[in-house]
Amino acid sequence: MTTEPTAPLSATAMAEALERRAVTPATLLADALARVARADATLGAFVHLDPDGAARAAAEAGARQAAGRRLSPLDGVPVAVKDNIWVAGMPAHWGSRMWSDFTPPCDDIVVERLRAAGAVIIGKTNTPEFALSGRTDSPLHGKARNPWNPALTPGGSSGGSVAAVAAGMVPFSVATDAGGSTRIPASYTGLYGLRPSNGRLARRHGFPPMGIDFQAVGILARELADLELAYGLLAGPDERDPASLRFPPPRAAGRPRIGWFARYEGELVHPEVEAAVIECARLLEAAGYEVTPCPPPYDVALVRRVWGAISSAGAARAAELHPERWRKEASGAIAAAAERGLAMSAVDYVRALDGLAALRAQVSENWGAADVYLCPSAASPAWAIDDEFPAEIGGKPGHAAAQNTFATWVNAVGHPGLSIPGRPHADGRPLGVQLVGRFGGEADLFALARVIAAAAPWTRPPFPAW
């Protein structure tokens, strides 16, 4: 057996080394925990570690390895899970003081599948309260920071997960995405971030949803191969989640057609983000794909109105689970959202649902011939950690809604979206571009991401050493 690794390994490299018995699960776990010990006081990635439970899981994986009975390529690989996903035996705080003493009674389905694959869950990652913010600053656990520069935000609401992965603590993390919460932070940290089609990663047990079916379980990884490996083992139907049973057949063979847009008229976008999208469109065209510029297929003002109403109602419902506590313990942003939700009438809420139905019909009508849309993941790169939103984007004043311009419509329609690294900003900050597929079209996104990665004339900078 080899000694402790000296550099972060990908999940696929870990799997290969475990298969040929060049490393043990216990060694990989020790390395992961050592990396957490070195970096987490600065980065605030984890809110709970379970070294004893992880050690038991690693020992079981090691026994299977020795017997030649590994459960899957992930058997013995250390991973992390976002704080708002239920893991039996570990706290699920939801980033909130109101759930500071809550431990869920069971695993959600994705965690069941991680365990069935033999993955070693080392702990839970930081998220803002109710996972409802574009940056990660929990009233219970404080800030998560960007490994590329701790003075910058890693984004939200999966800020702890991207910090853990980008810093090399784990090769991938399971997270969630209700308005861009995997894809936007991935773009700020040089990662791959998937928001799959609704139901693709089945769910059953967890906190009440903030925005009906806007939220999906997602995956964040340094390497595309790692994301695909995890997706292949975690996705699939489960009768406990009817949405997981309702997928169309795969698209007929042939290259997907690509529509692209790099800006939304009247909305902010950083020039280098726009340029990164255009560059990727040209790469795909040069690779022989049909690539067509087109207008965005959605009304962003309608997206924001619908999301604002539905998420406010969700915040009110969650807050009212603690009627005597929430006004004292909720963050300012959540308290304000809950008050807006409580002020809504039933008619107001039904109108929001009508708006969502109209939005979904609009996107279906406007989708056109494209199989995949290429667009920005976020309007800008990461910004100063103490600011609620970027002070400026492309030389114009920023605002709180700017970062959801290109992300939340994907959640509204329930389609898959994949953020991939684009050409970095001139100052070295990561930038992401997004591929959005038809419902059930994850395979097209992975295929195009591989083409872009292979053809890219830029080199992704080395991840910071922690």
Side-chain angles (χ1 to χ4, degrees):
M1 297 292 178
T2 61
T3 58
E4 179 176 312
T6 58
L9 295 175
S10 68
T12 52
M14 289 181 184
E16 188 274 335
L18 287 164
E19 186 63 27
R20 59 184 173 86
R21 304 188 188 185
V23 71
T24 65
T27 297
L28 294 177
L29 173 61
D31 181 66
L33 293 177
R35 293 177 189 282
V36 174
R38 289 198 298 269
D40 202 47
T42 298
L43 298 179
F46 281 91
V47 299
H48 176 78
L49 289 172
D50 182 24
D52 293 337
R56 288 192 296 272
E60 292 167 2
R64 291 189 294 269
Q65 180 194 38
R69 296 196 302 267
R70 297 183 67 235
L71 298 173
S72 81
L74 291 183
D75 198 352
V77 172
V79 302
V81 176
K82 188 175 174 181
D83 182 40
N84 63 331
I85 297 173
W86 284 15
V87 178
M90 296 190 198
H93 297 138
W94 212 5
S96 175
R97 286 186 285 253
M98 289 176 274
W99 271 268
S100 60
D101 56 357
F102 176 69
T103 299
C106 58
D107 293 332
D108 205 347
I109 293 171
V110 69
V111 178
E112 292 178 1
R113 291 180 176 176
L114 281 172
R115 295 194 198 274
V120 176
I121 303 171
I122 70 168
K124 305 292 290 297
T125 58
N126 201 354
T127 186
E129 190 165 28
F130 297 174
L132 271 184
S133 176
R135 61 193 184 116
T136 298
D137 188 0
S138 160
L140 184 61
H141 299 295
K143 294 180 175 68
R145 294 177 179 271
N146 195 315
W148 293 85
N149 180 351
L152 302 177
T153 181
S157 63
S158 303
S161 288
V162 295
V165 175
M169 302 178 199
V170 289
F172 75 89
S173 178
V174 175
T176 60
D177 189 319
S181 289
T182 57
R183 292 159 290 143
I184 295 175
S187 75
Y188 298 155
T189 51
L191 303 181
Y192 290 89
L194 174 69
R195 188 264 186 224
S197 303
N198 282 2
R200 187 66 90 180
L201 269 67
R203 302 199 74 172
R204 172 61 182 91
H205 305 289
F207 293 114
M210 286 292 99
I212 50 175
D213 60 356
F214 275 57
Q215 188 185 86
V217 175
I219 304 169
L220 291 150
R222 279 191 177 205
E223 306 298 336
L224 181 60
D226 288 1
L227 194 154
E228 291 190 75
L229 173 63
Y231 173 84
L233 291 168
L234 301 178
D238 188 297
E239 291 186 354
R240 293 170 292 175
D241 181 357
S244 72
L245 309 176
R246 300 169 182 163
F247 280 86
R251 184 180 60 81
R255 289 189 165 192
R257 295 163 294 186
I258 300 148
W260 69 273
F261 56 94
R263 60 169 48 249
Y264 192 110
E265 190 64 33
E267 296 289 334
L268 300 175
V269 65
H270 194 287
E272 291 196 46
V273 170
E274 185 177 3
V277 172
I278 294 170
E279 182 173 26
C280 288
R282 290 173 177 163
L283 289 176
L284 291 171
E285 188 171 31
Y289 288 84
E290 180 183 330
V291 181
T292 306
C294 57
Y298 58 96
D299 178 347
V300 73
L302 179 57
V303 172
R304 289 171 178 158
R305 287 198 301 273
V306 168
W307 172 246
I310 290 175
S311 61
S312 293
R317 177 178 62 172
E320 280 294 294
L321 293 173
H322 298 277
E324 305 302 321
R325 297 173 59 184
W326 74 265
R327 284 185 172 86
K328 295 179 292 184
E329 297 184 3
S331 63
I334 290 300
E339 294 287 8
R340 290 194 299 272
L342 291 170
M344 292 172 62
S345 68
V347 172
D348 292 332
Y349 188 74
V350 172
R351 284 174 178 155
L353 296 181
D354 289 342
L356 178 58
L359 175 64
R360 289 174 172 174
Q362 176 193 74
V363 172
S364 295
E365 291 169 1
N366 293 345
W367 191 273
D371 297 301
V372 174
Y373 275 94
L374 169 69
C375 64
S377 300
S380 78
W383 68 93
I385 193 164
D386 292 326
D387 293 343
E388 181 183 354
F389 50 81
E392 61 87 22
I393 299 175
K396 298 179 180 179
H399 58 80
Q403 297 299 74
N404 70 19
T405 301
F406 304 101
T408 307
W409 73 279
V410 182
N411 302 83
V413 298
H415 286 211
L418 174 64
S419 182
I420 66 175
R423 181 183 292 276
H425 189 284
D427 64 13
R429 284 179 292 172
L431 295 176
V433 301
Q434 182 179 203
L435 297 163
V436 181
R438 294 181 182 272
F439 184 73
E442 284 86 351
D444 283 339
L445 307 189
F446 296 146
L448 292 173
R450 288 192 295 269
V451 170
I452 291 172
W458 68 87
T459 300
R460 186 168 58 163
F463 281 90
W466 283 91

